[in-house]
Structure formats: C-alpha cells, structure tokens
Amino acid sequence: CSKRLVSYSESAVELNESKDPMVGTVSDAASLSDPPTLAFPSISTSDFQFNHEKASEIIVEKVEEFVNKIGNARLVLVDLSHGSKILSLVRAKASKRNIDSKKFFTFVGDITRLHSQGGLHCNVIANAANWRLKPGGGGVNAAIFSAAGPTLEAATKEQAKSLLPGSSVGVPLPSSSPLFHQEGITHVIHVLGPNMNPQRPNCLDDDYVTGCKILHDAYTSLFEGFVSIIK
Ligand code: AR6
C-alpha cells in the first residue's frame, strides 16, 4: 500500500492510502467519532487576486470570533501546496491569537479528496464560487463541481440562482454525489468573495476598503452557514 506525507497543522503525519476510493459509503467516510468539520479554501486570494496579507488578517480575525461558537466542531483552512503563502501567513497570525489548535488548523490537500487522500473527514466544504454559481472557471470551483458530479449544479439551483459578493448559500449534497459517498461530505457552502481581478466581473479596482468589508462579510456568512448546518 502506498504512503505519503501530508502536513497536519504544522506537523507531518504518515497516512495510509490503501483504501479504494470507489468503494466508500458515507458511513465508511464519516466516523461517528469525527466532530463536525468545515474545510474551506482561502476565498478570493487566487483567481480574484485579493492581497494575501490582508486576507490572512481577516481569516484569523473571523476564525477567532467563530471558533468559540461552534461547540466541538472544527474549522480547517485548506490549500493545495505545502508552499502556500496564505496557509503560512494564517498559521503565523493564528499562533499569536487565543485560538484552540484542535478546533482550527491548516491542511494541505485537494478539498475534494480530503478523506480519501488525506485521511481528514470534513462533513461540510466551502467553495470559492462565481456569482452565477456555475461550474468551471478554474480553481476550487471547477474542482468541486467536477468532483461532485452534475447533481451539485441541480441542487445548487434549487437554493439560489446567483450570489452577491460577501454572501453564501449552503447546498445539501445529494447522496448520489461521489463527494457524499466517497468523501462523507453532506453540504457544500458556495461563497462569493471580493474580486480584484480586472478580467473578472465586478472588479473593485484596488478598493481595499470595500474589498476588506466584503471579505469580512463573506467569512461571516460562511461560518454562520456552517453553524446553522451543524445545529
Ligand atoms: N483544493 C484546495 N484548495 C484549492 C483547490 C483545491 N482543489 N483549488 C484551488 N484551491 P480560487 P478565488 C485554492 O482561484 O480567488 C473561479 O474561477 C487556491 O490555491 O479557486 O476566490 C470561480 O469560478 C486558493 O488558495 O478562488 C471564480 O470566478 C483558493 O483555493 C473565481 O475563481 C481560492 O482560489 C474565484 O476566485
């Protein structure tokens, strides 16, 4: 069986990857002992080109505000690579705050394969969406819609047709979706962050006063959405 190293918070753990991802059921993927967990990407900091320093400040501030409102649940900031600038900025800032490291940590991995490849069970994942709530476009949005299959687009349409910057919508994942039965994910929360990329709609033209307010609102909406799902 193959093994690889994945960073868990700031330490490294060895994970077993022998499990066939095709044979999982939600009951395999979701152990009863796992606390409710939201995995979320850093909203707006890649395709939407939001400043990483400012975004990391907002993430840590919002996590500190919410981490005591979620009982035993966990918040996990995810990115694809060990070299992720946003993960290291957030880790450095979080270590200086009063944040329980069992309830908030960073994780390196593909948000659509956290259980099957990373051994981390998250029942809710967040998506850095576009305003039309459409598949594709690259980044984590393309990865989540592709891994979830067509049922996610249909289930999303039942909840909302579009999103305003700074808002989010929670979508229950149909049990036929591979993300449900292979990864144990029951909900996807689509979040629309501020856009600083002139090639994308509603660019804020470097207006970071508005941009920071929208990013604050986006994380508030995301974490409140998670709280309402786990209640
Ligand atoms: N798993 C974990 N993290 C990921 C993954 C993945 N599979 N893919 C990307 N990231 P982005 P944005 C990280 O660009 O800046 C889309 O086209 C990535 O490294 O996905 O909010 C939408 O349709 C970064 O840290 O989102 C929108 O139009 C974070 O996810 C637009 O991009 C967010 O990067 C949204 O842009």
Side-chain angles (χ1 to χ4, degrees):
C1 66
S2 64
K3 290 192 173 181
R4 70 190 182 110
L5 288 175
V6 181
S7 88
Y8 181 88
S9 192
E10 289 185 277
S11 60
V13 290
E14 201 172 47
L15 294 167
N16 192 325
E17 281 190 62
S18 63
K19 196 172 164 203
D20 180 354
M22 299 309 290
V23 298
T25 66
V26 77
S27 51
D28 289 336
S31 151
L32 286 176
S33 59
D34 286 324
T37 304
L38 167 70
F40 64 100
S42 168
I43 306 297
S44 290
T45 52
S46 183
D47 192 43
F48 279 178
Q49 300 180 2
F50 199 92
N51 176 281
H52 283 59
E53 183 64 40
K54 290 180 171 54
S56 62
E57 199 60 49
I58 292 169
I59 291 169
V60 173
E61 200 178 302
K62 285 286 146 188
V63 164
E64 191 174 28
E65 182 185 333
F66 272 87
V67 88
N68 296 320
K69 298 182 184 171
I70 56 172
N72 70 335
R74 306 180 297 185
L75 304 173
V76 184
L77 176 66
V78 177
D79 202 356
L80 286 169
S81 97
H82 287 274
S84 165
K85 186 177 158 201
I86 195 78
L87 291 195
S88 54
L89 284 167
V90 166
R91 275 199 301 266
K93 290 187 203 305
S95 69
K96 297 193 184 112
R97 308 272 191 120
N98 185 22
I99 297 175
D100 182 344
S101 60
K102 289 194 202 69
K103 289 171 68 179
F104 172 67
F105 51 88
T106 64
F107 197 89
V108 174
D110 180 339
I111 203 163
T112 67
R113 308 291 299 266
L114 291 175
H115 180 74
S116 58
Q117 286 191 344
L120 176 70
H121 178 242
C122 300
N123 60 318
V124 183
I125 62 170
N127 177 29
N130 52 62
W131 74 276
R132 280 150 38 93
L133 293 168
K134 287 287 182 197
V140 74
N141 183 73
I144 290 175
F145 272 103
S146 160
T151 54
L152 177 60
E153 194 179 357
T156 299
K157 272 198 194 124
E158 283 176 26
Q159 304 298 324
K161 301 277 176 281
S162 62
L163 274 186
L164 289 172
S167 69
S168 72
V169 59
V171 179
L173 203 53
S175 57
S176 57
S177 167
L179 283 187
F180 184 96
H181 56 83
Q182 289 171 14
E183 303 295 329
I185 296 166
T186 62
H187 293 76
V188 174
I189 304 178
H190 299 292
V191 189
L192 183 63
N195 172 36
M196 299 298 178
N197 179 351
Q199 313 293 317
R200 300 284 177 267
N202 301 317
C203 174
L204 290 171
D205 293 327
D206 230 33
D207 174 3
Y208 271 98
V209 174
T210 307
C212 288
K213 186 185 175 314
I214 293 174
L215 196 60
H216 267 275
D217 291 348
Y219 282 106
T220 301
S221 181
L222 168 61
F223 294 156
E224 281 177 351
F226 177 55
V227 168
S228 71
I229 288 167
I230 63 176
K231 255 186 187 161

